[in-house]
Amino acid sequence: LKEIDNAAAGALEQLPGLLPHPTETQFPAQPKHSSLTGTPGPSPAMGSPTAPVKLFLFSDFQCPNCRRAAEPLKWLAIKYPELQVIFKQLPLEMHKKALPAAKAALAAGKQGKFWEYHDLMWKSRKISPEDLEAHAKTLGLDIAKWTQDRDGEEVKQEIEYDISLANALGLSGTPGMIINGKVSKGWGSAFGVENTVKAIIRTLPEAQKRVDSRGLAYASTKSNDAKIARLIWGVEAEDKSEL
């Protein structure tokens, strides 16, 4: 899995759900930044919580290029133990099925099956209301709980916060990626993202010198773009530790 060529990486774009998932983890909810709306919640993630490279993927379940990016990013999370891929919701207004799909996926995540639900949607390309419930049943979810979570205020607020964060970061389309403060808009190829990841890994020893209680990923992100670091980690500008 770790060594594939350009052709194989390109083929992965059309095969969501092919690879086994790395360790399913979460990026914990960070303090709410005062400039954002909604309420931050934990985000579904692939890879070690202590990974020093954080790739925040802002995605829309009705976006064709987001579908292309899904499996290659999983491959990179498998290949690089230094990398954690973190999923953020950015359902676009022009995609009418995207918001219900985002709510359904987060509700599945509350039963520990976000990534399985994610793959079912991408593989089937079916996200009507009937399809969303069928996916939940396929995974053996508690449908009453899934429905309650999907329609609940907590999921609504978490998605609103992700959208507000994306807007503050200058991401208006999907997929959008923030990789330790480096902004990438759209989808080119797995190897383009991989080159960014490798370049960041090479800078980690220098970032290590500036680590505080928030960890190496924060220190690395802050060295690349302090504003992005503050927004993602919920650090206010007047925080004395930032001065």
Side-chain angles (χ1 to χ4, degrees):
L1 289 179
K2 292 191 174 183
E3 298 303 329
I4 65 176
D5 59 18
N6 286 329
L12 284 178
E13 295 183 359
Q14 302 305 321
L15 296 168
L18 176 69
L19 301 176
H21 281 296
T23 304
E24 182 162 344
T25 54
Q26 288 186 331
F27 181 76
Q30 301 298 306
K32 179 176 179 175
H33 195 278
S34 62
S35 68
L36 305 180
T37 60
T39 304
S43 299
M46 293 183 287
S48 171
T50 61
V53 182
K54 306 291 189 189
L55 188 159
F56 294 89
L57 169 67
F58 289 81
S59 188
D60 169 311
F61 284 112
Q62 209 176 337
C63 162
N65 283 336
C66 295
R67 183 179 188 272
R68 288 177 55 209
E71 209 64 8
L73 290 177
K74 188 193 297 181
W75 166 63
L76 290 175
I78 292 170
K79 183 174 181 179
Y80 291 94
E82 303 94 339
L83 174 65
Q84 185 182 38
V85 176
I86 298 153
F87 196 98
K88 292 288 189 180
Q89 308 287 347
L90 184 54
L92 304 178
E93 288 188 15
M94 65 180 178
H95 291 156
K96 301 307 179 185
K97 296 179 181 179
L99 180 56
K103 290 181 176 180
L106 282 183
K110 300 213 180 271
Q111 297 185 48
K113 293 193 175 182
F114 172 85
W115 290 112
E116 292 174 64
Y117 198 94
H118 163 280
D119 281 0
L120 271 179
M121 287 196 288
W122 285 137
K123 286 166 69 176
S124 68
R125 304 191 191 198
K126 294 180 178 180
I127 55 172
S128 72
E130 296 77 17
D131 295 324
L132 296 176
E133 184 168 340
H135 296 328
K137 290 177 178 177
T138 296
L139 294 177
L141 300 181
D142 178 330
I143 298 301
K145 174 173 170 47
W146 174 79
T147 302
Q148 183 178 18
D149 289 337
R150 179 197 64 190
D151 298 337
E153 187 65 20
E154 184 174 86
V155 161
K156 177 184 175 183
Q157 289 292 317
E158 288 173 6
I159 293 173
E160 181 180 336
Y161 195 82
D162 281 358
I163 294 171
S164 180
L165 175 60
N167 291 337
L169 294 170
L171 300 175
S172 57
T174 54
M177 287 171 280
I178 306 291
I179 313 171
N180 279 33
K182 301 288 187 180
V183 180
S184 177
K185 298 180 180 181
W187 178 252
S189 72
F191 290 102
V193 177
E194 182 179 26
N195 286 337
T196 300
V197 169
K198 290 194 293 187
I200 290 171
I201 289 172
R202 289 194 292 269
T203 69
L204 291 177
E206 183 61 29
Q208 182 70 53
K209 301 174 184 177
R210 299 184 293 278
V211 168
D212 62 15
S213 61
R214 298 181 181 96
L216 182 53
Y218 177 80
S220 174
T221 302
K222 184 181 173 185
S223 68
N224 290 323
D225 193 307
K227 178 184 176 182
I228 287 176
R230 288 196 297 269
L231 285 167
I232 290 175
W233 271 267
V235 178
E236 304 296 339
E238 63 270 19
D239 187 328
K240 290 182 171 56
S241 68
E242 291 294 294
L243 300 178

